[in-house]
Amino acid sequence: MRFDVLTIFPEIFDVVLGSSIIGRAQQSGLITVNAINIRDFSKDKHKKTDDYPFGGGTGMVMMPQPIFDAYKSITENLDYKPYFIYMSPQGTKLDQKHVERLSKLEHIIILCGHYEGVDERVIENLVDEEISIGDYVLTGGELPAMVLIDAVSRAIPGVLSNEDSYSDETFKDGLLEYPQYTRPADYMGLKVPDVLLSGHHANINRWRRQQSLKRTRQKRPDLFEKLELSEEDMKLLEEE
Ligand SMILES: C[S@@+](CC[C@H](N)C(=O)[O-])C[C@H]1O[C@@H](n2cnc3c(N)ncnc32)[C@H](O)[C@@H]1O
């Protein structure tokens, strides 16, 4: 998967996406992240990338020319159109299903806005989809772009060392993940549930399913309502 990020702060991406699992995925060639400086494409003598909004009002708007030219520099030698995403509080709110759909793509361009956002002609003519990371407004699209890249990358086969950790986790099958414990089994009198120490895999799986169901009902009733429960699930929920 190749990500090309159009930004006026390319340096921000190095530390976060160069570390840990996403850093390793880049080193192993499973993903490539190129942060492209929109400013490099500005034709203004001061390398300006924003200007006043027509019609008045506060704030600045990112100009179309540097963004169109940055886009052209990526696509001019390609025989396909990469999927173009604009990170925006006005977009579709990101969730795990959406992340999984995006993880099947091969090439994504992500545009990070600033100030009052980008000139509407960019959105109308280049953007395939606007994506929001939540109903709040941030100062720029870089953090949202990193959230998107992180979430999409870990859904790509091979990026996580253990595929099982992905298949069990929160939001898979619409459930929250069960509680996790590590050593010691007794920490200052705080004990790990006996079943996890039993070595009985069927009982452990049953307990984990029950915990997932119960905590989804308790913490995320909105997700719980959408579940299609089996008879076994109903039984697990009734047990203490
Ligand atoms: C201050 S915001 C612009 C908000 C815009 N004036 C509006 O009211 O819709 C600047 C940039 O931050 C990014 N951004 C802010 N909040 C975001 C969110 N919740 N999800 C994704 N991107 C966001 C976008 O790229 C946006 O262009």
Side-chain angles (χ1 to χ4, degrees):
M1 163 82 83
R2 170 175 162 192
F3 298 96
D4 288 310
V5 189
L6 303 183
T7 169
I8 51 171
F9 295 110
E11 64 283 356
I12 297 182
F13 290 83
D14 295 345
V15 178
V16 178
L17 299 177
S19 316
S20 187
I21 294 171
I22 304 304
R24 278 203 303 277
Q26 288 202 68
Q27 279 157 19
S28 66
L30 282 166
I31 64 165
T32 314
V33 184
N34 306 310
I36 294 160
N37 195 342
I38 297 170
R39 209 173 289 284
D40 291 344
F41 295 87
S42 170
K43 291 197 171 130
D44 175 82
K45 65 173 183 242
H46 303 294
K47 294 284 168 201
K48 205 165 79 139
T49 55
D50 56 286
D51 211 332
Y52 294 99
F54 279 124
T58 53
M60 304 294 271
V61 177
M62 289 178 72
M63 296 148 68
Q65 175 273 315
I67 299 173
F68 269 86
D69 285 359
Y71 173 80
K72 196 169 155 221
S73 77
I74 300 169
T75 55
E76 62 192 347
N77 294 321
L78 299 177
D79 56 6
Y80 61 90
K81 185 192 181 301
Y83 198 64
F84 195 117
I85 294 170
Y86 170 44
M87 302 312 302
S88 161
Q90 300 186 18
T92 317
K93 225 190 299 172
L94 190 65
D95 65 17
Q96 191 62 27
K97 282 212 172 75
H98 201 154
V99 162
E100 274 159 30
R101 276 204 307 278
L102 295 173
S103 75
K104 311 274 187 305
L105 300 172
E106 284 182 6
H107 188 176
I108 298 178
I109 300 176
I110 305 173
L111 173 62
C112 306
H114 264 273
Y115 322 114
E116 288 309 308
V118 303
D119 186 290
E120 193 64 21
R121 288 164 290 185
V122 171
I123 300 172
E124 281 170 4
N125 293 284
L126 298 183
V127 170
D128 293 304
E129 184 175 9
E130 293 180 67
I131 295 182
S132 163
I133 60 161
D135 287 344
Y136 41 83
V137 180
L138 298 160
T139 56
E142 283 74 16
L143 289 171
M146 284 191 260
V147 167
L148 182 74
I149 294 170
D150 187 297
V152 170
S153 298
R154 68 196 295 289
I156 295 171
V159 168
L160 294 184
S161 48
N162 181 355
E163 292 298 322
D164 291 345
S165 61
Y166 184 73
S167 60
D168 267 1
E169 74 187 0
T170 293
F171 302 130
K172 274 275 167 185
D173 307 325
L175 283 170
L176 303 187
E177 194 183 47
Y178 45 78
Q180 301 271 21
Y181 298 87
T182 186
R183 285 188 289 183
D186 183 338
Y187 175 66
M188 300 201 321
L190 304 172
K191 297 205 172 102
V192 168
D194 287 339
V195 63
L196 296 178
L197 309 176
S198 68
H200 192 300
H201 290 295
N203 283 354
I204 292 173
N205 287 341
R206 192 173 182 279
W207 180 84
R208 285 180 163 167
R209 177 85 190 166
Q210 183 179 48
Q211 293 298 314
S212 278
L213 287 162
K214 286 191 171 180
R215 63 168 42 189
T216 307
R217 181 172 62 184
Q218 187 205 347
K219 293 188 186 183
R220 289 294 302 270
D222 57 318
L223 292 180
F224 186 77
E225 261 176 37
K226 292 184 196 141
L227 292 174
E228 285 183 18
L229 300 175
S230 65
E231 273 186 31
E232 177 63 15
D233 288 338
M234 306 283 224
K235 265 195 240 153
L236 290 173
L237 280 163
E238 278 161 23
E239 282 173 22
E240 254 317 294

